[in-house]
Amino acid sequence: MTGDVFHPEQLSRCISCGFCLPACPTYAMTGDEASSPRGRITLMRALQDGTLPPDDPTLAEQSSFCLGCRACEPVCPAGVEYGSLLEQWRVHQWRGRRRPLLARALMLVAEQRWLLRLLGLVRRAA
Ligand code: SF4
Ligand code: SF4
């Protein structure tokens, strides 16, 4: 059970009406429900409730195939904050174990504010 990937209130807002489908470029290109905002929200829910494991290939494919253009947001009657959900999804993907070593090192540095400040001081002194 994955449980805490998404803010539950944000994830529950979608009423699956499909108004967002015509606005989505990846759905227009493929005609595939999984490549639509509604389809991706269904995948997010499956990840959240453990129906799909975090390493399911469709999850990885769809989280990266989404352009993040947020054209689906203004047309949504339920006020789904898709951009925020996508961010939470990608953060979860990046927390997985398959990140390149360099990316992991950079993210570790970015999480340590004191280290960034120290690097800034060293840079200024140089
Ligand atoms: S328009 Fe909004 S509520 Fe309707 S399916 Fe799309 S995201 Fe869900
Ligand atoms: S952010 Fe853009 S590409 Fe992604 S689901 Fe929304 S409309 Fe489609």
Side-chain angles (χ1 to χ4, degrees):
M1 176 114 178
T2 312
D4 57 355
V5 180
F6 304 97
H7 192 289
E9 193 274 329
Q10 283 182 323
L11 197 56
S12 67
R13 247 185 245 173
C14 175
I15 53 172
S16 302
C17 63
F19 282 12
C20 52
L21 268 62
C24 176
T26 56
Y27 179 70
M29 196 162 69
T30 61
D32 179 10
E33 170 74 17
S35 300
S36 74
R38 183 175 61 185
R40 291 191 177 104
I41 288 169
T42 302
L43 289 171
M44 290 178 202
R45 285 174 170 163
L47 173 62
Q48 181 92 333
D49 67 18
T51 307
L52 286 178
D55 61 353
D56 183 276
T58 311
L59 289 173
E61 184 192 335
Q62 288 303 336
S63 71
S64 57
F65 184 39
C66 173
L67 304 176
C69 63
R70 295 169 62 184
C72 46
E73 276 192 7
V75 296
C76 174
V80 171
E81 296 168 286
Y82 183 89
S84 173
L85 288 169
L86 180 64
E87 247 173 56
Q88 293 163 55
W89 197 5
R90 287 183 172 166
V91 164
H92 175 76
Q93 296 278 350
W94 273 86
R95 283 205 181 119
R97 293 186 194 148
R98 278 182 269 157
R99 283 175 292 168
L101 193 60
L102 180 62
R104 265 186 280 168
L106 286 172
M107 286 184 77
L108 192 66
V109 170
E111 280 167 10
Q112 309 298 319
R113 288 186 179 188
W114 64 269
L115 189 53
L116 284 178
R117 273 200 297 273
L118 182 67
L119 288 173
L121 287 175
V122 170
R123 189 170 154 260
R124 261 203 299 277

